[in-house]
Amino acid sequence: MAAPLIPRGEDGLIKQEQKMPLSFFPIIIAVSVAMGQALAWPIYLFGHRQAYDAKIDILASLNLGWLYLALLVVYYTKQIVSQHASYVRNHANVTLPNHTVHKVFTPEGAKQLPYVLLEEDGMVGKANRAQRGFENLMEYLPMYLVYLCAIGFVYPFPAFVNACVFFFSRVKYAFDYTNATADRNTGFAIYGMAQACLEGLLLIAGVKALLRA
C-alpha cells in the first residue's frame, strides 16, 4: 500500500504538534535494560548453566569481564548520540525517512524555496524507504555482530537463536518500511527484544566474570 499524502507547511516540513519529551530516552533505556534482564536470566538459569559457567570461568581467568562491560558502554554511547539526534530532528519537524534536510540557495532578496526532502510517494518513495531500511540495518549491524561474537562464546545456542530472531525482525522491518514509514515499528520492536536479550546475557557474563576473577 502506498504511503498516504501528508499535508506540509510552505517549507515542506510536517509540523508536529506533539514534541518528544527529553524524559522519553531515559525511560526507553531503563525499559531496554529491564527487558534484557527478564529475557537473559531464564536462559542462564534454565539453559546449559554448567557449560555457561565454565566459559565464564575462562573469562574470569583472563580478566575479560571488563571487556564485556566495555561493550555495553560503547553500545550506549551510540544509543545516547542516536537518541539525541532523534530528539533534535523531532523538534525541528524533520520526519522519517528524512534524516537530513537540504536547502536550495537563492539570490539575496529572492523568495526562499521549500527545503529539499526525500520523495515519499510512488515507487520512488518506496525505493527511498527501502534504502533507509538497509541503512538502518548497517547502522546497527557492527555492534550487533560484536555482541553476538562475545555472547556466542559463552552461550552458543542462545546466540544462534538470537541471530534467527535478528534475521526475521530485520527483514520484516525493511519490507514493512518499504510499504510505509509507520509500518516499520513491529519489526524494530522485535529486533529491540533480541538486542536487549544480548545485552542482558552480556551483563550476566561480564559481572560474573569480574566476581570470579
Side-chain angles (χ1 to χ4, degrees), residues 49-68 150 152-156 204-206 208-213:
R49 184 173 177 180
Q50 188 174 359
Y52 302 155
D53 281 334
K55 294 293 184 64
I56 293 173
D57 286 339
I58 295 173
L59 296 179
S61 69
L62 298 172
N63 200 27
L64 289 176
W66 292 113
L67 177 60
Y68 273 52
F153 174 73
V154 181
Y155 320 88
I204 292 171
K208 285 186 172 291
L210 288 179
L211 293 176
R212 298 177 189 181

Side-chain angles (χ1 to χ4, degrees), residues 6-149:
I6 301 173
R8 299 177 181 273
E10 290 186 1
D11 58 4
L13 299 179
I14 299 170
K15 307 305 178 185
Q16 301 177 97
E17 297 298 328
Q18 211 163 7
K19 300 300 182 184
M20 192 180 293
L22 196 58
S23 60
F24 177 74
F25 301 115
I27 292 172
I28 287 295
I29 290 174
V31 169
S32 176
V33 172
M35 182 168 56
Q37 291 299 298
L39 292 170
W41 275 103
I43 294 172
Y44 171 74
L45 293 174
F46 304 114
H48 297 288
R49 184 173 177 180
Q50 188 174 359
Y52 302 155
D53 281 334
K55 294 293 184 64
I56 293 173
D57 286 339
I58 295 173
L59 296 179
S61 69
L62 298 172
N63 200 27
L64 289 176
W66 292 113
L67 177 60
Y68 273 52
L69 297 186
L71 293 178
L72 289 169
V73 174
V74 172
Y75 175 74
Y76 277 103
T77 301
K78 183 262 181 192
Q79 283 298 89
I80 290 171
V81 173
S82 173
Q83 290 173 0
H84 168 71
S86 297
Y87 176 83
V88 175
R89 283 199 310 271
N90 174 262
H91 283 254
N93 295 311
V94 179
T95 55
L96 296 175
N98 296 282
H99 277 65
T100 58
V101 173
H102 303 272
K103 177 180 179 179
V104 176
F105 283 92
T106 55
E108 187 176 349
K111 182 181 178 181
Q112 293 294 310
L113 296 173
Y115 290 121
V116 178
L117 305 171
L118 289 175
E119 173 63 80
E120 296 184 44
D121 300 319
M123 284 305 299
V124 174
K126 283 179 174 287
N128 282 333
R129 290 190 296 276
Q131 179 62 28
R132 181 56 208 146
F134 171 72
E135 290 169 355
N136 186 273
L137 167 65
M138 299 312 293
E139 289 166 8
Y140 282 86
L141 186 60
M143 199 70 218
Y144 180 83
L145 288 175
V146 174
Y147 266 26
L148 193 66
C149 290

